[in-house]
């Protein structure tokens, strides 16, 4: 009987101790980055974003500069090819023609690689021979204008088409006034036009 009581008491003690025993605590959660590490990551991301924004701005500025240069080149080419007109039966430079030629002169001075062919034209009145000679005098008058301002004559070629290439095929003063002209063709330096104002 004593043995049974001892075993029962021992068993009860074991059960009591086992019931009181707690599960081991769970392992600690892995530690996240420290505040210093978070700050460093944020600073690196901010630097990357700033570099990307700066590169995007640089590319945008380059595109805008290229577009502005192309627009300026197109405007300069249009000025260089703008025709001038003459009064009837003369090769004198009119005040209106002089304004156009002075605009060309500024571009030509700063763009020494640009060369022009100047084409002289007449209206339909007069003989072919006379109009060929008049067209030649008109083209030469333009060259003389440029060379009087210091440009080299070797930059210019002249040709006369007389009455053979009218702009307006009608008859009457309005049509004839259109046809009495000098036209300009850029023969060299098309892409060497200086649009910055200095050679």
């Amino acid at each position: 009987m004593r043995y049974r009581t001892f075993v029962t008491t021992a068993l009860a003690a074991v059960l009591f101790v086992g019931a009181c025993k707690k599960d081991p605590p769970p392992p600690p959660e892995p530690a996240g980055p420290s505040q210093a590490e978070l700050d460093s990551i944020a600073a690196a991301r901010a630097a990357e974003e700033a570099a990307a924004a700066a590169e995007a701005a640089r590319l945008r500025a380059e595109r805008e500069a290229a577009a502005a240069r192309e627009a300026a080149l197109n405007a300069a080419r249009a000025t260089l090819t703008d025709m001038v007109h003459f009064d009837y039966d003369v090769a004198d430079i009119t005040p209106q023609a002089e304004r156009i030629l002075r605009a060309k002169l500024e571009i030509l001075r700063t763009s020494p690689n640009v060369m022009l062919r100047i084409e002289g034209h007449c209206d339909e009145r007069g003989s072919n021979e006379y109009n060929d000679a008049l067209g030649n005098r008109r083209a030469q008058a333009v060259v003389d204008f440029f060379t009087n301002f210091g440009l080299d004559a070797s930059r210019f070629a002249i040709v006369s088409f007389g009455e053979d290439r009218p702009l307006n095929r009608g008859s009457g003063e309005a049509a004839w006034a259109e046809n009495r002209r000098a036209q300009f063709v850029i023969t060299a330096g098309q892409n060497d036009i200086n649009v910055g104002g200095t050679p």
Side-chain angles (χ1 to χ4, degrees), residues 41-165:
I41 291 167
R45 282 186 186 151
E48 286 175 8
E49 289 170 3
E55 178 65 7
R58 184 187 69 78
L59 292 172
R60 186 169 53 252
E62 281 183 3
R63 284 193 301 272
E64 289 171 358
R69 174 168 170 71
E70 190 59 32
L73 276 172
N74 288 336
R77 290 179 190 127
T79 298
L80 287 174
T81 56
D82 193 12
M83 67 183 71
V84 297
H85 291 86
F86 294 87
D87 291 332
Y88 173 64
D89 200 28
V90 294
D92 300 331
I93 302 294
T94 66
Q96 182 181 5
E98 182 175 348
R99 283 192 297 276
I100 294 169
L101 293 176
R102 283 185 180 274
K104 296 177 193 296
L105 184 65
E106 294 309 310
I107 297 168
L108 291 168
R109 279 181 171 155
T110 60
S111 306
N113 293 332
V114 174
M115 302 180 86
L116 296 177
R117 181 176 70 242
I118 301 155
E119 302 173 347
H121 298 266
C122 304
D123 64 37
E124 63 186 355
R125 294 171 291 179
S127 68
N128 286 339
E129 294 78 10
Y130 182 82
N131 285 333
D132 284 342
L134 180 57
N136 195 70
R137 288 199 311 277
R138 286 173 173 165
Q140 187 61 52
V142 171
V143 172
D144 292 344
F145 179 90
F146 290 142
T147 57
N148 286 339
F149 283 96
L151 297 181
D152 195 317
S154 66
R155 296 176 63 186
F156 308 102
I158 63 173
V159 63
S160 174
F161 290 110
E163 62 190 78
D164 294 338
R165 296 187 181 183

